[in-house]
Amino acid sequence: MDLINRYIYAVTQKLAESQRADIEKELHGLIEDMLEDRGAGVGIASTEDVEQVLLELGPPGDMAARYRGRERYLIGPGLIGSYWSVLRIVLYSVAVALGIVYMVDFFTSSDPTAEKLLEYFVSLLSVAIHGFAWVTVIFAYIEYRGARQVSKDAWKPSDLPVIPEPAVRIKPIEPVLGILFSVLFFVLFTFSLNLIGVHRFDENSIAIPVFEQAAFAKYLPLIWLLTAFSIFNEARKLITRKWTPQIAVMHVIFNVASVIVAVILFSDMTIWNPTFMEQLVQAGLVTPGDEAYETVKSIWDRSRDGLIYVIVIITLIDTVSVLMKWFRRKEGNTALTK
């Protein structure tokens, strides 16, 4: 039964999600009938009988192709469900993130006009087009790599991958949240850097930014590349739904890249608002010489190194967590072989 389940799992993973349950039942019935024709039911069939039946059915990729009916796709049926899921997540995240930014900007602006609403829709259209292009290119690349990696050797039932253990499965909510935070990160640093700062909402609204927007702009390409890399990784997790060596390595590489970008950004003193403390004083939020002023100034002076340390610790914890999942997978495989 294990070999049969592995074969059916390998076939259905290459089909659209809406088809999988029906085709799983159909394949179970087909294999049972073929075994009975050989005089062996599922419960009493030998491994040799099962392997011969699976060899007659052919490789899982070929069987899935027969269900699909045709083969050449930019994004095939095996990925189209995940593609639409990721695209919806990206577009919804863009709409929500830009909507929040627009609402905050509209109500804190001293002169809210219809131009801001127009700016919102223009930004929404622009970012949505970019998001659509990114997701489509990512999935087309994954489809292309999958097609190139098809083995030319004769297929054997023993080549079937093991159904993943619960400990190494990736819950869909994890990549979904990863994509959501990546898009929010992109929108925040690309369109609303001024929101990162100190705000006071009253009759005289005050916004004191932490970063110098003009100096920060030169690092935007790094932000965009990091966002695209993150969406690529999360999309692969949503497709495979399990930790593999390739996904674990790419996740660790992304964590290292995130730390490098953070160090590059926050080590550049020109991106920090040079008059931050002076603006706090002018706004009446702190008074030079008092305890509150000294506390805020101490936090501000240490914020650059503090942010880097926080990011390093978070990514280190995340990396250790991924490696622990991978080691649990290896231990589980060892136990199965024994």
Side-chain angles (χ1 to χ4, degrees), residues 14 20 23 38 46 54-55 76 78 128 142 175 177 187 199 226 248 255 262 294 303 311 319 323 333 336:
K14 300 177 186 299
R20 292 176 184 174
I23 291 175
R38 292 173 171 269
S46 65
L54 297 184
L55 284 169
I142 294 172
L177 289 177
V187 170
H199 297 265
L226 200 62
N255 282 350
E294 295 301 326
S303 58
I311 292 171
T319 301
L323 292 177
N333 289 345
L336 286 173

Side-chain angles (χ1 to χ4, degrees), residues 12-165:
T12 55
Q13 290 302 298
K14 300 177 186 299
L15 298 169
E17 203 159 343
S18 58
Q19 298 177 283
R20 292 176 184 174
D22 292 337
I23 291 175
E24 181 177 347
K25 292 179 183 177
E26 184 178 328
L27 282 173
H28 268 296
L30 175 62
I31 293 170
E32 287 175 10
D33 291 342
M34 293 177 71
L35 286 172
E36 287 176 0
D37 290 342
R38 292 173 171 269
V42 174
I44 61 173
S46 65
T47 302
E48 290 74 16
D49 290 330
V50 173
E51 287 185 349
Q52 285 301 315
V53 166
L54 297 184
L55 284 169
E56 287 182 25
L57 292 176
D62 292 350
M63 176 60 74
R66 288 198 287 273
Y67 278 108
R68 292 197 297 259
R70 57 194 180 92
E71 269 296 277
R72 299 190 63 169
Y73 303 94
L74 178 65
I75 300 171
L79 294 178
I80 196 66
S82 299
Y83 168 75
W84 285 118
S85 296
V86 172
L87 187 59
R88 281 196 296 269
I89 295 165
V90 169
L91 295 182
Y92 289 160
S93 301
V94 166
V96 170
L98 284 175
I100 293 172
V101 168
Y102 167 75
M103 294 295 289
V104 172
D105 192 35
F106 183 86
F107 287 110
T108 58
S109 175
S110 58
D111 185 28
T113 64
E115 288 185 9
K116 292 190 178 296
L117 184 60
L118 179 61
E119 288 176 6
Y120 165 72
F121 284 112
V122 171
S123 299
L124 180 62
L125 179 62
S126 174
V127 179
I129 291 172
H130 280 85
F132 171 79
W134 285 355
V135 174
T136 302
V137 168
I138 287 169
F139 273 84
Y141 174 74
I142 294 172
E143 180 78 30
Y144 173 72
R145 284 294 301 272
R148 288 196 63 189
Q149 290 174 358
V150 174
S151 175
K152 296 181 180 179
D153 297 332
W155 176 78
K156 305 184 295 296
S158 58
D159 295 332
L160 289 168
V162 176
I163 297 174
E165 294 293 318

Side-chain angles (χ1 to χ4, degrees), residues 210-211 262 266 272 302-313:
V210 166
F211 298 109
F266 300 135
W272 300 89
R302 298 176 182 177
S303 58
R304 179 191 65 181
D305 294 335
L307 272 174
I308 294 174
Y309 292 146
V310 167
I311 292 171
V312 168
I313 291 171

